[in-house]
Amino acid sequence: MAGKRAQANKPHKSRFASKSSLNLHRTSSVAAGGCRVGKKSSVAKEAKAARIQRSKAKRDQNRAALLKERRDAACSSSANAVAPRVTVLFGLSADVNLNSLEKDIWSVLSTNGSQASYPTIASSEYKQRMTFLKAPHGDLLSCVEMAKVADLMCFVASATYVSDGSSLYIDSFGDQCLSVFRSLGLPSSVVLIRDLPSESRKRNQARTACISSLASEFPEECKFFPADTNEELRKFMWLLKEQTLKIPHWRTYRPYLMVDKIDLAADGYNAGKCTLLLTGYLRVQSLSINQPVHIAGAGDFQLSKIEIFNDLCPSNERKPHDLMDADSRQGLEIIKSLIPGMLKQELPLCENGPDPLSGEQTRSMEAEMAEAAQKHKKCKRLKRKIVPPGTSEYQAAWYLDESDSANDSGVDDSMVLDEDASPFYKSSADTGLVDGQASFNLRDDDGETEADSMMMEGEYLTREQLQEDIQRIKEAHAEDEKYPDEVETPLDRRATERFKNYKALSRNGDWKAVEPLPDDYPEFPDSDNYRRIRKHVLAKAPDQENGDDVAAANSYIRLHVMDVPVSIATKLCLNAKRMPLIASGLLHHESKMSVLHFSIKKHDSYSDPIKSKEQLIFHVGFRQFLARPIFSSDNIRSDKHKMERFIHPGRFSIASIYAPASFPPLPLVVFKEIGGSESPVVAAAGSLKSIDRERIVLKRIILTGYPQRVSKLKCTVRYMFHNPEDVRHFQKQEVELWTKCGRRGRIKEPVGTHGTMKCILNGVLQQKDTVCMSLFKRVYPKWPEQLFPLQNA
């Protein structure tokens, strides 16, 4: 009935639509010729199949590597037989008897039940070759050196009860060593529980109490085993056979040798030097005859020869090799000898002298500095800005021209040096001023007042009276002493002479690149991009595994280290009797001096202060050297870092030192020698962060003055300087002033003859406030008196 004008509603839309109906507008299922178009293959399905295939290939590869490792460990006649596992027995307390435990383990592993004089034993029953080391309780350095080469750490706890009913499972020395081991990186670890009661019920209770007490001190994968009887030790050895040992990541980059035997050979050409013969198993990586080696505590040396022997302690022969006396060790058969190439051998050069033709920046002469300052002043005169009439030179610096606006368009608060160096600005709501009053404007600079033109009160005071007056004012402001960088200007010396090496930061926080650098500032090649160098060096290391001048990993070798001073070699022979001697191969560039930066934290067991530029002993991986670091804060959002006079406990600092270059990751343990003690104590721990000689570390000082008279936005400040020439000098430098209550300002002019000055601020100054001036100086680490600990032997 409605006819043509009937209402036509929109077709109904379903709330939930299928994927095919949603994609109808994109593609048609019928082609132009009327044929139905087939669906294309799914890209997602192909990607999923590829991921499954890659994961399967990776699993197969890991399984093959694990089987190869177990076969090599069981069969020492293989060309790539795994070196014996280094197992360190560490007693958590002084009550633990490691000698009895070692004797029980040898009775389980040895065929005849007796202990050999040689620490390595091969067991055909368990298909294991192990080297046992006993950590001496109380000798921290020996324990640290053993932990560096340990493949398995066996922590031994005693469950013996004391008189009061409690059990001391771990003492203070054990707790200290545990924290140091964590800093170095713990390898695979187990805990052996000794001295359990014989009664079954008491035995289970003691075992449970020991595990609950020590579980928080070790990683979650660490397992606890009772180890009183031979049956329990046999069970432990069978479980250990199936376990894959893991070592810290930093030990996988460099080859190292734990010395089994050390000998000396006289050098007939160089008086006072000898050739050091180091024998042992080469571990982890292959070693080239052309690369230098580092002997822990002695330094970097070159190799004159490498002798490769047959395996010392095979496990698959019928002849028992449990007893390895001195006579059998002399009958080693030399399989191969490696001689270095004269053109391929890398020289262990420590320092690179500056090249005068390379344009490298070194210490600038006074004439060059004066010429640079004159050119800067001339360019400053030529550069003009459009500013309002009557604007001073200082105020004109705050106006941006086209180049400044282009450079400052992306500037944020990342240019702030430190929170203490840049006190916060107070808003106009806090100060009670409007925006126009809180800015620098000459209209607020009224004329001279009667109080300003009067003679200052301190014009005719003697030096003693001035010192008493300054001390009285400082005591009155002692409650606000939150700035440890405050220094006093001497009365008998000009401030321009006393602080001639200090300067203020520019308005945008930039630090000028033209500055005097130390003459001995080391040079590291391509130091601007050390990450690229590290990547290239680590990628190049596996290429030398199959060379003719390379000793393969896990082989038994003897290193001929040449040009070793006799005094250092004698000291090494004495130290090898109480701790393992480690010789590690160095990567390319690692023998050259550079500037290293470590993230460091004070150890909890050390309470004495650690001062900047104090001589410390740095253990960086396998290497040891002396250094005199400077400490600084780590500002992530800034390229300038504030120097710290001491390490603050409870937080990390950056320690910058002159030392041989090393590529991270590497752990750090810092020792400090204390007068009267035989061995150094642990002071701090951390890790290597970067190699960068361009890192700017600034030392800050704060000069303080106290307001004498205040008139609107102007004030008269005294006791910051004691000479009007100093006031004029810093007025020309356009140094910015700030107060502890958040005001900003500048120096207008000196008043009188005793260093009093008139200042203009951006707000009304309170009488109890303090006017401050921040000055900065770039600092560098101190060169150590000797580089390695054994050089004074």
Side-chain angles (χ1 to χ4, degrees), residues 753-764:
T753 60
H754 282 66
T756 307
M757 59 184 180
K758 186 181 296 184
C759 305
I760 299 178
L761 304 173
N762 64 343
V764 178

Side-chain angles (χ1 to χ4, degrees), residues 55-350:
S55 61
K56 183 179 181 299
K58 188 175 182 180
R59 285 196 306 269
D60 295 341
Q61 184 180 3
N62 294 339
R63 187 181 295 108
L66 181 60
L67 291 176
K68 182 178 181 299
E69 180 182 355
R70 291 180 178 178
R71 290 176 185 138
D72 293 342
C75 180
S76 61
S77 62
S78 175
N80 296 324
V82 177
R85 293 177 173 179
V86 179
T87 304
V88 177
L89 304 179
F90 180 82
L92 294 177
S93 62
D95 299 333
V96 177
N97 190 354
L98 295 180
N99 294 327
S100 63
L101 175 62
E102 186 182 23
K103 184 177 180 181
D104 294 342
I105 294 178
W106 275 92
S107 65
V108 171
L109 297 178
S110 179
T111 56
N112 54 5
S114 61
Q115 182 174 351
S117 59
Y118 184 62
T120 300
I121 184 172
S123 175
S124 58
E125 179 182 0
Y126 301 99
K127 302 184 185 301
Q128 293 284 338
R129 295 193 302 166
M130 305 183 70
T131 300
F132 290 93
L133 300 176
K134 292 184 298 182
H137 194 82
D139 191 351
L140 181 60
L141 285 179
S142 299
C143 295
V144 169
E145 294 300 312
M146 291 181 182
K148 291 180 181 179
V149 296
D151 297 322
L152 176 66
M153 289 291 298
C154 289
F155 297 97
V156 186
S158 176
T160 304
Y161 283 88
V162 294
S163 58
D164 58 351
S166 62
S167 180
L168 185 63
Y169 302 110
I170 180 171
D171 56 6
S172 59
F173 179 77
D175 189 24
Q176 183 185 24
C177 287
L178 269 179
S179 62
V180 176
F181 295 163
R182 295 190 198 100
S183 302
L184 290 173
L186 272 177
S188 298
S189 305
V190 295
V191 179
L192 302 180
I193 305 175
R194 300 274 290 180
D195 304 331
L196 290 171
S198 57
E199 187 179 354
S200 176
R201 182 178 178 182
K202 292 183 179 180
R203 184 182 185 87
N204 293 333
Q205 291 178 354
R207 179 176 175 271
T208 304
C210 182
I211 293 176
S212 62
S213 178
L214 296 177
S216 61
E217 301 291 338
F218 300 96
E220 296 181 358
E221 60 271 12
C222 182
K223 297 182 180 180
F224 293 78
F225 298 94
D228 282 328
T229 62
N230 288 344
E231 289 76 10
E232 294 172 344
L233 289 176
R234 289 180 185 278
K235 181 180 179 181
F236 163 68
M237 295 305 301
W238 280 112
L239 294 176
L240 181 63
K241 175 187 174 182
E242 302 297 330
Q243 184 179 2
T244 302
L245 300 184
K246 298 180 180 179
I247 61 175
H249 185 60
W250 62 271
R251 281 165 52 180
T252 61
Y253 291 107
R254 298 164 184 82
Y256 65 95
L257 183 84
M258 190 186 71
V259 178
D260 294 337
K261 184 181 178 182
I262 179 172
D263 296 314
L264 299 180
D267 192 350
Y269 298 98
N270 297 327
K273 294 187 177 181
C274 64
T275 300
L276 198 63
L277 307 180
L278 305 178
T279 308
Y281 283 96
L282 182 64
R283 303 175 186 271
V284 179
Q285 296 283 350
S286 58
L287 178 65
S288 174
I289 185 64
N290 298 316
Q291 67 182 117
V293 295
H294 175 83
I295 302 177
D300 303 338
F301 301 96
Q302 285 181 316
L303 298 177
S304 61
K305 187 179 181 181
I306 295 181
E307 296 176 345
I308 303 177
F309 300 106
N310 58 333
D311 203 335
L312 176 67
C313 189
S315 61
N316 60 338
E317 296 185 8
R318 295 180 180 180
K319 180 181 178 181
H321 284 266
D322 296 336
L323 298 177
M324 304 296 295
D325 53 1
D327 296 334
S328 62
R329 295 181 62 185
Q330 297 296 332
L332 295 176
E333 179 184 354
I334 299 178
I335 299 178
K336 186 178 181 181
S337 296
L338 304 179
I339 305 298
M342 300 302 296
L343 300 179
K344 296 181 180 180
Q345 194 170 21
E346 182 179 354
L347 300 177
L349 297 177
C350 291

